[in-house]
Structure formats: C-alpha cells, structure tokens
Amino acid sequence: MSSTLKLNRSLKYDTFPHHCELGELNFWIKEYAVDGDEAVQPEDDRQLDLTEYQGWSEIKFTLCVDVPDSLLGDVLPEIGESTAADPPDKGPANVVVAGHCVSTYTRAGTVLTNGDEVSAGTVDDTLTISADDIADRLVLRPYLLRSEPLKSETESSLGLGSGHDYATEPGALLSDGSECRIEITEDDPGSDDVLQVERTSFERENEADETPFPTADRMYYLDLKRDPNNPVLYFNEDHEQVVDIVWNGDGTYDDLTAELIWDQVMTPVWTRMTQVAADEYDPDADEWTQEWHPAVFEMLSEYLYEGEDKSPPKAAESLQKELEESPMAATERIDQAVQGLLEPAEQVSNHAQRVGDR
C-alpha cells in the first residue's frame, strides 16, 4: 500500500494580476551522484527512476534550466520597455527549482542564478536530498521569480502608466516549466493512494436532493461515506481566496500560507482517518478492512508509539484497544502523533518569519 497523497487535479495557475508567461522554462536533470559515487547521466532527463538503489543516504542532482531570450523581455519591463540602443541583457529575477515530496511533506529547492539578476541562457546548480526526508517520489519544477520590487521611479523612467500589468513585488511568478519526476521507491503491486484531493462548490453540491456535503460556509469535507475504500478530501470552491492560494499560490508568501491551510485541514483529517482505521481494524482478518488503513499506520506508527517499533497492524490493534479502554488517552496520543507527522510549529514559524520580513 502506497502512502502518497494524490492531488486529483494538477496544481495550475489560472489567472494572475500581472503578466506571466507559463511553460517557457526548459528544465532537465543533467546528472546525479549517489553517496559521493561518480556522477551518472540519466537515460531520461525528465523522468528519473532511482528504485534500483537501496540503502542510499543522499543523492546530489545537477539541475539545468534554459531561459529563452524572448521571455525576459516579455515579463521584465527593465528589458522589454527599455528605449536604450543597447538594452540590458539582465533583469531582476531568479531562477529557482523547487522540489516537493508529498508523502513526507518535504519541500526543498535551490536558486540557480548568482545574485538577483538573470540573463538568457542556461543556468545550473546542484541540489542534494537526504533519504531521511523523502519517500515514494520527488517532483521538481523550475520557476522564474521577480527578485526586486519595481520602484515608482523605475516605472516613470520606463514610461509605464499606473495601469501596466508587470509584476512589481519580489517573489512574483513570471514563468515556470515542466516538472521532473524522480521515483524513489516502487509502489506495491495493486497499491492505491491514501487520500484523493478535489475541489468543488458546496453550494452547488447542495442543490441535489440527497448530498453528503455540508453547508457552503464550510471550508472542506472528508468523504468516507460514498466509497469507504477511497477517501476523498474536498476543498470548498465557494471560499475562492482559500482555494486560489492552495491551487494557484503566487510566490513564497502564498506557498507558506498554503502550507498553513494544509496543516489546518490535514490535522483533523489525519485525526479522523486514524480513529476510523483503528476502530475498523480486525486483528483476526487476513486483510485490512479498507485499502487505505495500513498506509495511515505506516506513516503514523513511529509517532503513535515512539521507541516501541510497532508494526502497522500492532499499532492499529494497540490503538483500537486504547480507544475502547481510555478514549481520552488514545485521542491525546493521536493528536500528538499527527503533530509529529505534520510539524505545524515549523510551518507557523516559517510563515511568521516571512511576515516579519515583509
């Protein structure tokens, strides 16, 4: 059973308050080295299969991003609106490659440009990941982000009116590129994902005569009823600003805010799923009651019973017994385990630091 969290819709950027040219960056993995061994060039520089490697500690990737000449003039007024005979070949932007492992909630990344300026051409840098931080797969994607504010005096010198649509704030997304997927461990045959995530309008869903959805003022709904074997987490599209940040976040601040939203939602979701999985566990059965149940305990066992090295079935059996005999102690155990998994304090600290820097 895989323990991945699947987004049923790809995260995409639909609208921006500024000019943005999506999909213009060309991104590839040039080579990788496992535990300091000689670097290897991948057969496919966009799909990397590392499942053959076992027991590795860290892998260093050499990443390359090509920035088209025409792109900079489209998104940076310092270049595109310049009236100089020889316009600048560099502009205030950074090329960043961000990585995300959904299974472990790990985010990693590297800035490929030196300083806070970028020119057309290929930039490269290395990214090192630890086996302790990722599982299943790692997804890398390149971004072009504005690095400096567009000041009013610069706008005036370029002849930009108040209604121009160029990005003005640091961290604003200017472009991105296709992702690279790195498979870390093989999925078990017949495996499925723990949780499917979708978005819908609760107001629209409630127009049906019979609906499991709550009222339109709710932010999310975990559906364990319609298909108990495949839980689905729905975000409410009626809360446009919340859903837009989660799906279409623009820049580091929105990313951090999205993490806070995820933690706020996933904390009760994980708590409920853990209690349900424990309650429905049958120690005498050959298989788990639902396919997603073992994945819950694969991820939470070490936090539920720290230092006891309990297998997922043993953790489920122990928690079921504790829920029956001492619900208060059991629910406290679940609460602490979920905090250990999600690390909400770290996300809040990162967000507070970012707010303080604004």
Side-chain angles (χ1 to χ4, degrees):
M1 169 67 83
S2 167
S3 58
T4 58
L5 175 77
K6 178 176 68 177
L7 289 174
N8 196 48
R9 297 187 186 183
S10 60
L11 296 182
K12 62 182 181 180
Y13 307 92
D14 297 318
T15 59
F16 293 91
H18 60 266
H19 192 63
C20 181
E21 293 289 341
L22 297 181
E24 295 296 319
L25 300 178
N26 185 22
F27 171 47
W28 68 96
I29 300 172
K30 181 180 179 180
E31 59 186 21
Y32 64 95
V34 180
D35 289 333
D37 290 345
E38 185 177 351
V40 178
Q41 291 187 338
E43 295 181 4
D44 186 338
D45 57 17
R46 301 286 295 282
Q47 297 276 348
L48 188 56
D49 188 346
L50 300 180
T51 57
E52 64 182 275
Y53 296 98
Q54 299 293 325
W56 57 272
S57 298
E58 66 176 29
I59 300 179
K60 177 187 285 187
F61 300 95
T62 300
L63 311 175
C64 297
V65 176
D66 184 67
V67 181
D69 182 61
S70 58
L71 171 63
L72 297 181
D74 287 341
V75 297
L76 294 172
E78 292 87 344
I79 297 177
E81 300 292 341
S82 175
T83 58
D86 185 17
D89 60 358
K90 291 185 177 182
N94 285 322
V95 176
V96 176
V97 173
H100 188 201
C101 177
V102 179
S103 296
T104 60
Y105 296 88
T106 295
R107 290 185 180 271
T110 183
V111 179
L112 278 65
T113 42
N114 293 321
D116 288 326
E117 287 190 318
V118 64
S119 58
T122 301
V123 292
D124 62 78
D125 197 10
T126 60
L127 174 66
T128 300
I129 61 171
S130 170
D132 296 332
D133 297 329
I134 62 173
D136 297 324
R137 69 178 57 89
L138 177 69
V139 177
L140 302 175
R141 185 183 289 274
Y143 299 94
L144 181 67
L145 307 176
R146 187 171 180 88
S147 60
E148 298 176 358
L150 179 57
K151 298 180 179 179
S152 57
E153 51 265 33
T154 304
E155 293 175 321
S156 299
S157 67
L158 294 173
L160 298 177
S162 59
H164 75 81
D165 64 351
Y166 287 105
T168 60
E169 295 297 323
L173 179 67
L174 305 178
S175 185
D176 68 354
S178 297
E179 65 184 26
C180 289
R181 299 173 65 88
I182 302 169
E183 298 294 331
I184 306 298
T185 55
E186 288 186 290
D187 289 336
D188 296 330
S191 68
D192 202 353
D193 299 299
V194 176
L195 183 64
Q196 195 169 308
V197 181
E198 299 186 11
R199 49 192 282 187
T200 188
S201 166
F202 289 9
E203 182 176 4
R204 185 173 62 249
E205 295 288 349
N206 275 284
E207 293 175 359
D209 292 336
E210 294 184 9
T211 177
F213 284 86
T215 56
D217 62 327
R218 301 297 193 264
M219 185 169 71
Y220 68 91
Y221 169 60
L222 176 61
D223 187 358
L224 298 176
K225 298 177 180 178
R226 291 186 292 184
D227 185 356
N229 204 39
N230 293 291
V232 182
L233 173 64
Y234 291 94
F235 276 85
N236 185 3
E237 288 183 333
D238 301 322
H239 297 286
E240 296 180 8
Q241 189 171 11
V242 173
V243 173
D244 190 57
I245 288 176
V246 173
W247 259 260
N248 308 322
D250 179 11
T252 304
Y253 182 79
D254 279 1
D255 283 346
L256 291 172
T257 304
E259 290 289 351
L260 290 183
I261 295 172
W262 273 110
D263 281 343
Q264 181 178 353
V265 172
M266 292 306 297
T267 295
V269 165
W270 270 109
T271 298
R272 183 179 169 201
M273 293 178 71
T274 304
Q275 289 185 248
V276 170
D279 183 65
E280 295 183 354
Y281 178 71
D282 184 354
D284 298 322
D286 293 333
E287 297 181 352
W288 293 78
T289 308
Q290 306 295 348
E291 292 181 8
W292 56 270
H293 287 181
V296 168
F297 286 100
E298 285 170 11
M299 297 185 72
L300 277 179
S301 291
E302 63 176 295
Y303 302 105
L304 284 166
Y305 298 99
E306 295 186 28
E308 298 186 37
D309 194 27
K310 286 182 180 286
S311 65
K314 285 296 183 183
E317 185 175 2
S318 296
L319 186 59
Q320 182 184 70
K321 184 177 181 179
E322 191 171 5
L323 281 167
E324 294 172 352
E325 297 178 353
S326 180
M328 185 174 296
T331 52
E332 181 180 348
R333 182 185 297 277
I334 294 171
D335 175 69
Q336 295 302 317
V338 171
Q339 287 194 57
L341 175 68
L342 300 182
E343 297 183 328
E346 180 179 348
Q347 302 299 343
V348 173
S349 296
N350 290 340
H351 192 274
Q353 181 177 356
R354 175 64 179 174
V355 171
D357 294 339
R358 285 170 66 88

